[in-house]
Amino acid sequence: MTKVSAFLYDILHSGKEPEILLWDSKRIIIINFIILVSTPVFFFFTYLNIEHGLILFAWSNIINILLLAIAFVHLRLKRNINHVSTIILMVLLITYFTTIFQGGIANTGFFWFFYFPLFAIMLKGHKIGSYWIFFLLLIIAGVYLFQLFRPLELPYDPVLLIVLFISLGIETVIAVFIESVRLKYDKQLQEFNTDLKTKVALEVQENRKKDELLRQQSKMAAMGEMTNYIAHQWKQPLSTISAIVQNLHVQEELGILEHTTIKDEFSKIE
């Protein structure tokens, strides 16, 4: 791994190795990627806003840059994905609220709205992500209704707010469907990993039993060899004693047994 790739790996993983929970590791990479891409973009738009005299919007971009920096440091130190996800979505909401009144440089403002449902569902899940999306839709609906009763000077046709509202609704449905598919496959993967861990644990337990059995068999074999060796060591002197005793019996029966012979034979036995 080169120094550049190692540096990028360290940044994307917040300086730590991926954890067992795969989706959390992926979310960390996604969040860091968003921060790395968004920060220079905000710097660029800050410059453009200052050039066009849009100081208020320039300040909103600076606030977003500071929030992204806080998110980056917090994720690296605390590794709390929920807190950082909240900061990221706050940055997006500030950007979108600014875009509604600014219209975006070169009319590209509404393009960024289409990423919000995907990010909200992906970073916060179905329930909490839906609340964030609902809040954004509420802002858009409020701006449109306010425009009807008290016209605002918007740099685009207010009808675009209706189109944006409908588009975000459709994208929310798509984002929820994608998240459902991901959860389904994540559940299957988790079940597969659980089954695999169980099988591995059972296999390890069986191998330990086999190893223990082999150790017992080896121990018994060693004890058998030692017993044979001891028996062999005992057999030789016992055979000699038995031969001496038989010889004494024979001499006694023949009447040729002498006292000195008995003493000599006992000495041999001792």
Side-chain angles (χ1 to χ4, degrees), residues 133-158:
I133 296 170
F134 177 76
F135 183 67
L136 176 61
L137 293 176
L138 203 62
I139 291 175
I140 296 172
V143 172
Y144 179 75
L145 292 175
F146 193 82
Q147 171 70 20
L148 287 179
F149 297 104
R150 194 170 181 178
L152 298 169
E153 291 185 5
L154 299 177
Y156 50 83
D157 190 340

Side-chain angles (χ1 to χ4, degrees), residues 102-249:
Q102 180 186 356
I105 301 296
N107 296 321
T108 60
F110 286 153
F111 173 76
W112 306 105
F113 277 84
F114 301 130
Y115 291 99
F116 190 82
L118 185 62
F119 284 149
I121 298 296
M122 179 177 60
L123 296 178
K124 286 292 188 181
H126 283 92
K127 187 176 180 180
I128 305 299
S130 298
Y131 292 156
W132 283 86
I133 296 170
F134 177 76
F135 183 67
L136 176 61
L137 293 176
L138 203 62
I139 291 175
I140 296 172
V143 172
Y144 179 75
L145 292 175
F146 193 82
Q147 171 70 20
L148 287 179
F149 297 104
R150 194 170 181 178
L152 298 169
E153 291 185 5
L154 299 177
Y156 50 83
D157 190 340
V159 177
L160 286 177
L161 291 174
I162 299 177
V163 176
L164 180 61
F165 189 92
I166 296 172
S167 300
L168 287 176
I170 296 172
E171 290 208 22
T172 300
V173 174
I174 296 172
V176 169
F177 174 75
I178 293 173
E179 182 69 7
S180 301
V181 173
R182 185 196 66 77
L183 287 174
K184 177 183 175 182
Y185 283 106
D186 272 7
K187 184 178 179 182
Q188 291 178 353
L189 181 60
Q190 206 167 27
E191 290 175 352
F192 174 78
N193 288 335
T194 303
D195 292 341
L196 185 61
K197 286 179 182 178
T198 304
K199 290 178 182 178
V200 170
L202 290 174
E203 192 67 27
V204 169
Q205 190 174 1
E206 287 293 324
N207 288 336
R208 285 177 179 170
K209 288 181 180 179
K210 291 178 182 178
D211 290 341
E212 185 63 27
L213 182 61
L214 288 174
R215 276 197 294 270
Q216 291 292 336
Q217 290 176 347
S218 177
K219 190 185 295 183
M220 294 300 292
M223 290 178 65
E225 289 179 3
M226 186 168 60
T227 304
N228 289 333
Y229 178 74
I230 294 172
H232 176 72
Q233 296 298 320
W234 274 90
K235 195 180 293 182
Q236 189 174 0
L238 289 175
S239 298
T240 304
I241 293 169
S242 177
I244 292 173
V245 171
Q246 287 178 7
N247 185 36
L248 290 174
H249 277 300

